[in-house]
Amino acid sequence: MEKKRVLVIGGGIAGVTSALELAKNGREIFLVEREPSIGGHAASFCCKATDVCNKCSVCLVPERMKEVGIHPQISLLTTSEVREINGEAGDFRVKIVRKTRFVDPDRCTACGICSEVCPVESPKAISLPYPGVVPPAFVVDKDRCLRLQGQECTICQEKCPTGAINFDQGPQEIDLDVEAIIVANGFDVFDAREKAPLGYGKYPNVLTGLDMEERFLKEGEILLPSNGRPPQDVAFIQCVGSRDEHIGNGYCSKICCKYAMRFSRLLQYQNPEVKVTVFYMDLQTAGKGFGEFYEQCKESIRFVQGIPVEISQVSPDQLAVRYEDLSQGKTVEESHDLVVLSVGITPRKDARNLAGILGVNLGDFGFFDGLTQIENTSTNREGIFLAGCCQGPRDIPESIAHGTLAALRAVRTLT
Amino acid sequence: MAEDTKIGVFLCDCGEVISRNIDLSGIKSNLEKISDVGHVTLSHYLCSQKEIELMGSEISEKGLNRVVIGGCSPQFCEVIFMEAMEKSGLNPYLLSIANIRDQCGWVHPGKTRATSKAARQIKMAISKARFLEPIKKETVSINRDVLIIGGGISGMEAAIELSELDHKVTLLEREKVLGGRLHQLYSLYPLELTPGALLAEKIEAINRRANIEVLTTAELLKIEGHPGNFVAKIQRDGSPITGNFGAIVVATGCDTQFPRERYGLELSDNIITQLQFERMLKSREEWDKIPQKIGFMLDISDEYSRISTISALRNGLAAKRRFGSEVYIFCKNLKLDAPGLEGLYREARDEGVIFFKFGDAMPTIAPAHGQINIQLEDLYLARELVTLSCDLLVVDEKIIPQRDFEILKSILNIDLDSNGFYQQANVHLYPVSSIRKGIFSAGSCRADLDFSDALADGRAAAQAVHQLSYSGKAWIEVQKLVVDADKCALCLTCIRSCPHHAIEVDHEKQAAKVIDLACQGCGICAAECPAKAIQHKGYTDNEIGAQLEFLEEAI
Amino acid sequence: MPEDKNRFSPKIAAFCCFHSAYLAADSAGAMRKSYSDGVYIIRVPCAGKVEGLHILQAFEKGADGVLILACPQESCHYISGNIRAKKRVDYILRFLEEIGIEPERLKLFNLASNQAPRFVQVVNEMAERIKDLGPSPIKAGVIGR
């Protein structure tokens, strides 16, 4: 059987799932990823299990990434973006621009010598983005690398044992012929700085859900940025950037209630003395097994129905959270030492640009538009499909399911 | 140890990384002294094309019959070396890997101690290698036909998708007609299509496809066989039918129940369930009098269901638009985490549906003078006690598994979650797998899924089945878990312990037999067997014991 | 830290479920986190594969401590393996007291494949605990091998 080829745009969990499903059915896939490594946002999320799994499926992401990395039918094109698409279903001609990454992932063995000899410190200007990265190759930080700032340094290039580093490498243009395209370029995390009264970026002890993920993944715990000590009294604020008509995000981001509750349980598992409060609008507790999880949370976590409007700093290690206590009918101010803003999912800032290149419509709130509510992996353009959060907020199991469905539809174009 | 072993040890430096704190040359000299080590090399990039080819020729030329690697983690290199071995004619399972980079050099800074540990790890791997036995790989044929149990939206969708992927489908439905809960729904708003129109569309699609056989008033009685080759005994109108299928999809949907005992609330003419209200909306005859004030009570029967919230929003809005009644929705938390629900909520609010939030204190509901009085602590009014009356109160129901779910579970030997829905809450099974290969569940029979999610689930099941059986063949590792019939006393412990129901009784041999296609290689059976009749190739007692030997040995 | 010359160096046999702890250990390596070099990882496909026999054998062959590292509860790759592992460990713990081995020398932990910091914490804490307890009492009693 002649191998039919599919282009998947985006190497997050949805794109990776689509690629693997198609590969399992004997197809050949080009997976184009803008960043130097695949995995998307979920690759930087942490496990929030206590002794009991929380069913978030984050652990599946590195596994799938690895499968893609070694799969003979999947070609990874990292630091690459789609520039132009011509043709139609069954015969798309795609122009890809592969930006310079200076380190050739096919030659790099992740030995780490370049990082050791790099004269720039804390952090180094060349490093492995994180363990388990796919492809397993080092990445140059364009803002910190001396050579890229115009200086003479080429130490890493000289010391690299495989000659994988080349600062003179320029961007490449690649032409691909494919039969179908799956768009899976994911989402942007809501920028909490847009909600200035909540103090993100101003007060060190105000973090976002994403900050928490990254710290837990690296260190396995959270310490107060202000003094390096474990927090004693944590507040989670839900719906930051979601269910908010004022900023045009009139939808529920779906993942935030769950991750806040999972973090809350994890914090208390690590330190039973820690106080946790969750400020919410409507708790989203539907989901397999989640009702029982919430019942357990209720025992030791304080849930307050009301979203705080302002956070201020009382002292370097103490924050004041002001909210309307609906049950008392008045404004209350209480102190916490760590505040976590549960930021939501927003469409990619460059979604419009990519939609233009693809000739695909954007829908509600700027996400890619599914053809109908039922056929939401198909688009207005035949042969082009959608997978994952680029079409709307989803959690990891749903992104995996959606990626599977996109593959199912894409296969129809091929057979 | 089966034969005279001749071990090839291939040490890898991983680009001069490992040798920075591990004296690989020293280790190499030591290893050369071992009598059955026929070959030791040290290379910089063992996984490179050149080195792999070299490995292949060394295996053939020197007649090596075991390969030991000292290098990075098997998760990165195992596949590559197995392929190299296979190409050179050596069984790929005769491979043993010492992870001296990720689990030694990278985590133990001191050179002496890291070298000492690495040497020990490699010797453990060599020791294990002596006991390794080859495992054969074969293809077996898999039946591409599929049995789908349940003709609701998930089942119908799975049937259509699979049929379009050229699978022959048998769709079993217990009732006289296909459609499941689609018959009960009044609307699918914000989808413009009505349930009736959607149902007609699906049935037409099914009738058009020659490779879908629909069996209504039919139930599954029994299955035998194993993944890839199930034999199903079906009963239809009292007559038995037998069919052969490679995979089975359970799509039996859910049921609803109003738990009267919980609140001492009796249903009546003006306290009705959501299901009853849907029926009223669908039929014209049931309306004697248009209710002026309709209340929807959520979160008293089932606090964790999105389906109830969606029904209330849809039907509340429909009632407002159709009758102009005042509509109230009482709830604790609105479940709006699905596409379009926030919009539906706002639309309802904009059109005058009034929402009341109560906290942990349940509202009191009391019939009074032909109306229903509701009293609640209104969260938006600082818990002020608010009283209203409605002509009609529509209460939410608990979403429960379909009747006879336990019977079907026993017939199929699959798992339930703690609420009786199919598929336990284990992330490795999501979205549609069960503990048994080849058996899937889709739709509201496995999770709280509204109509469009249930439809998508049916498709996911179709893809899962297709991925399993599209080629009509599957690779198996032949008897990786093998039962010694002489030792087996047929105590059935292994059969009961296997989480995947992958062991059956071989009546000829009077012993248990592992079904290779269904086996997932966990080894639990081998660990549980009281007679030590089952050995797990690659993890036999000898292989594990050989590694433990080195805990105290000097180098 | 592992290179403490003042106390004895414990040998710990760590049976690691490949889908969870083994991968977490690899991750710890990629992060260059340090842990006690007396920890020897024995790969198993599932913690449920580790038998009482293997645990006792580990002590017999000279382990000062034994760890069984399994998937988190309700997340076993093979559904029930971690439950069986726990039952087996509880069973063996009853024996250990009878034969004079302190029960602190055998422990089961649950962790996921992406919990590298937890892997390091668990093995280091075990190593410290064993250092305090001293060499396994069996080692003195075993004559030759």
Side-chain angles (χ1 to χ4, degrees), chain B residues 61-75:
Chain B
E61 283 161 28
K62 295 201 175 166
L64 302 173
N65 55 26
R66 297 287 186 281
V67 171
V68 172
I69 309 284
C72 68
S73 173
Q75 66 159 303

Side-chain angles (χ1 to χ4, degrees), chain C residues 12-85:
Chain C
I12 297 171
F15 291 94
C16 287
C17 153
F18 184 73
H19 297 284
S20 58
Y22 194 96
L23 295 179
D26 281 346
S27 229
M31 290 184 187
R32 309 295 195 275
K33 290 189 189 282
S34 248
Y35 54 87
S36 166
D37 59 25
V39 173
Y40 286 86
I41 292 172
I42 314 262
R43 171 185 168 182
V44 286
C46 179
K49 172 76 186 82
V50 181
E51 299 175 45
L53 165 73
H54 303 140
I55 298 173
L56 293 173
Q57 223 176 1
F59 282 116
E60 189 193 7
K61 302 294 179 192
D64 301 297
V66 175
L67 277 172
I68 316 280
L69 299 177
C71 289
Q73 292 168 35
E74 296 175 29
S75 169
C76 176
H77 254 75
Y78 304 107
I79 313 297
S80 50
N82 53 7
I83 299 173
R84 293 196 178 270

Side-chain angles (χ1 to χ4, degrees), chain B residues 465-534:
Chain B
V465 168
H466 183 65
Q467 184 261 104
L468 182 70
S469 64
Y470 74 96
S471 66
K473 288 195 201 307
W475 279 103
I476 55 163
E477 290 167 323
V478 180
Q479 294 291 277
K480 184 153 109 170
L481 273 302
V482 57
V483 179
D484 182 344
D486 292 331
K487 292 189 181 158
C488 176
L490 270 186
C491 66
L492 307 184
T493 301
C494 58
I495 292 177
R496 284 192 303 256
S497 323
C498 176
H500 309 106
H501 295 277
I503 308 181
E504 61 185 7
V505 175
D506 183 341
H507 293 284
E508 261 181 52
K509 292 206 183 126
Q510 279 295 290
K513 181 156 195 277
V514 175
I515 306 159
D516 293 325
L517 186 56
C519 174
Q520 307 212 14
C522 60
I524 288 173
C525 55
E528 292 288 333
C529 177
K532 290 239 150 257
I534 308 183

Side-chain angles (χ1 to χ4, degrees), chain A residues 51-297:
Chain A
D51 281 321
V52 183
C53 173
N54 280 332
K55 330 281 188 315
C56 67
S57 303
V58 169
C59 51
L60 297 182
V61 177
E63 283 178 34
R64 300 292 152 88
M65 281 161 58
K66 233 172 299 181
E67 276 179 54
V68 161
I70 60 173
H71 205 294
Q73 283 151 243
I74 303 177
S75 305
L76 275 184
L77 292 166
T78 51
T79 56
S80 302
E81 288 193 60
V82 172
R83 275 300 145 83
E84 203 180 304
I85 295 185
N86 291 304
E88 53 179 23
D91 184 25
F92 286 113
R93 290 175 300 287
V94 184
K95 275 200 189 335
I96 310 267
V97 170
R98 184 160 203 189
K99 287 194 274 214
T100 314
R101 60 176 291 170
F102 309 110
V103 179
D104 183 350
D106 295 323
R107 288 185 186 214
C108 174
T109 60
C111 65
I113 290 175
C114 55
S115 194
E116 278 180 32
V117 301
C118 174
V120 180
E121 291 288 340
S122 296
K124 294 280 183 170
I126 182 167
S127 62
L128 203 61
Y130 53 84
V133 74
V134 175
F138 273 58
V139 173
V140 175
D141 184 340
K142 299 194 188 82
D143 299 321
R144 294 178 65 77
C145 171
L146 299 177
R147 175 75 162 84
L148 295 179
Q149 306 302 315
Q151 292 186 41
E152 286 287 311
C153 179
T154 48
I155 299 178
C156 57
Q157 185 171 319
E158 291 155 28
K159 293 285 185 189
C160 172
T162 56
I165 304 178
N166 181 359
F167 284 107
D168 300 314
Q169 181 193 26
Q172 264 182 292
E173 265 196 21
I174 303 172
D175 289 322
L176 296 176
D177 285 329
V178 297
E179 276 81 8
I181 300 175
I182 297 180
V183 185
N185 69 331
F187 62 95
D188 278 338
V189 176
F190 178 74
D191 185 351
R193 286 172 300 198
E194 284 184 42
K195 293 264 163 192
L198 296 179
Y200 184 64
K202 208 157 96 188
Y203 308 128
N205 290 350
V206 175
L207 298 176
T208 62
L210 191 61
D211 294 330
M212 293 280 276
E213 300 275 358
E214 290 168 357
R215 280 154 209 248
F216 268 98
L217 187 63
K218 282 211 183 78
E219 309 300 330
E221 61 178 351
I222 187 75
L223 300 171
L224 289 175
S226 63
N227 61 16
R229 298 216 209 100
Q232 299 302 315
D233 191 334
V234 185
F236 286 84
I237 300 180
Q238 302 308 109
C239 303
V240 177
S242 314
R243 300 196 65 191
D244 192 338
E245 296 244 308
H246 298 296
I247 56 174
N249 293 358
Y251 58 84
C252 169
S253 285
K254 186 169 190 96
I255 60 173
C256 337
C257 282
K258 295 206 165 99
Y259 78 59
M261 284 194 247
R262 287 167 177 150
F263 270 129
S264 303
R265 284 280 284 176
L266 180 58
L267 287 168
Q268 290 187 327
Y269 171 73
Q270 291 185 337
N271 174 11
E273 303 298 317
V274 85
K275 294 204 196 78
V276 181
T277 304
V278 175
F279 292 96
Y280 69 98
M281 232 192 267
D282 285 286
L283 275 176
Q284 303 304 311
T285 50
K288 208 167 163 70
F290 206 77
E292 281 122 38
F293 180 71
Y294 168 62
E295 295 280 327
Q296 289 172 351
C297 287

